[in-house]
Amino acid sequence: MANLAVLEQTVASMFNPQVVAPPAGEVVEELLAWEKLAKREKMPYGFEQLSGAWRLCWITGEKQGRSLNLTQMRLAQTLLRLIPIQLVYRPLADLEGIDREKFEAGEVENRIQIGLFTLVVFGPAKRLKSNSLLAFDFTTMQIKFFDKVLFSTLIRNGENRNARFYGAPIRELAFFNYFLVQDKLIAARGRGGGLALWGRSGG
């Protein structure tokens, strides 16, 4: 049976060094259990539920979580404590010219903090209503010192990709398939097959 307490403890350990993280194998087993439950019960969520900042707390990095090297996963969690990575979602309810019958529109940021500097990549996002995939594209990069933008540029032909994003087929886009969306944590499988767990943060 899916056990939310294991994932809650995993998230808490990222924010509070006094909390001991559960064994890596248990975390993977629980993520897979929640994914299986979501497929069976088709748990819906809306873009609004994802709104806000989420700190990356756990990654597997491979398609089949059961076959991972647990030592490598523990190393990844140590690096995530040292180098915070945040995912930020913003819904865009007033965006013009989109098909609201097919998807909800929004924006996504990925922030990597290294000391006093933050690398930010961001771009458009959409949650498909047919299967609840959340597709996204990073089209702009910034480097910040505290909150001051030192450098900003479009990346990988970003202007054109921004213009065609909402009409692009899912096969051309990166996406997360969220199978657990709670007030304090979210979990998903990425297009590449890896599992990830985030905890809500105040950023």
Side-chain angles (χ1 to χ4, degrees):
M1 178 179 292
N3 184 357
L4 192 60
V6 171
L7 302 184
E8 290 174 333
Q9 184 178 344
T10 304
V11 169
S13 70
M14 187 61 63
F15 291 91
N16 183 352
Q18 295 182 344
V19 177
V20 178
E26 288 187 21
V27 179
V28 173
E29 290 296 325
E30 291 306 325
L31 288 171
L32 292 172
W34 280 101
E35 183 180 38
K36 183 178 180 180
L37 180 64
K39 287 179 179 178
R40 185 172 70 243
E41 299 189 0
K42 299 188 183 301
M43 301 175 180
Y45 70 90
F47 208 119
E48 194 67 38
Q49 290 172 267
L50 295 173
S51 180
W54 304 88
R55 181 171 176 176
L56 184 59
C57 297
W58 185 268
I59 53 173
T60 64
E62 293 184 20
K63 188 171 184 178
Q64 297 298 330
R66 295 179 189 278
S67 65
L68 286 179
N69 182 316
L70 299 183
T71 299
Q72 292 175 337
M73 281 199 290
R74 286 192 289 269
L75 176 60
Q77 308 324 118
T78 299
L79 292 175
L80 289 176
R81 289 186 178 89
L82 297 174
I83 305 175
I85 300 176
Q86 278 190 331
L87 194 64
V88 182
Y89 287 118
R90 301 183 189 90
L92 295 175
D94 58 348
L95 192 65
E96 298 293 334
I98 65 169
D99 189 344
R100 300 183 188 280
E101 296 296 320
K102 292 184 178 180
F103 59 82
E104 294 178 283
E107 295 177 326
V108 62
E109 285 186 14
N110 202 32
R111 304 172 181 172
I112 303 175
Q113 185 177 339
I114 304 175
L116 301 178
F117 294 88
T118 305
L119 173 66
V120 182
V121 289
F122 61 91
K126 59 183 178 183
R127 188 195 72 86
L128 305 185
K129 294 183 177 181
S130 59
N131 54 20
S132 289
L133 292 179
L134 192 138
F136 60 90
D137 194 4
F138 294 127
T139 57
T140 303
M141 180 180 71
Q142 293 182 339
I143 297 175
K144 294 183 177 182
F145 179 69
F146 288 99
D147 289 329
K148 183 179 180 180
V149 177
L150 301 180
F151 175 79
S152 181
T153 185
L154 290 165
I155 55 176
R156 299 182 300 153
N157 198 23
E159 185 175 2
N160 288 336
R161 296 208 326 278
N162 278 333
R164 68 182 301 272
F165 174 80
Y166 291 109
I170 192 67
R171 65 178 179 273
E172 297 181 5
L173 303 172
F175 62 78
F176 286 125
N177 188 3
Y178 283 99
F179 54 83
L180 180 59
V181 177
Q182 299 280 321
D183 183 55
K184 298 297 184 181
L185 61 84
I186 54 177
R189 187 180 290 278
R191 178 170 184 161
L195 296 168
L197 173 69
W198 297 262
R200 188 179 291 279
S201 62

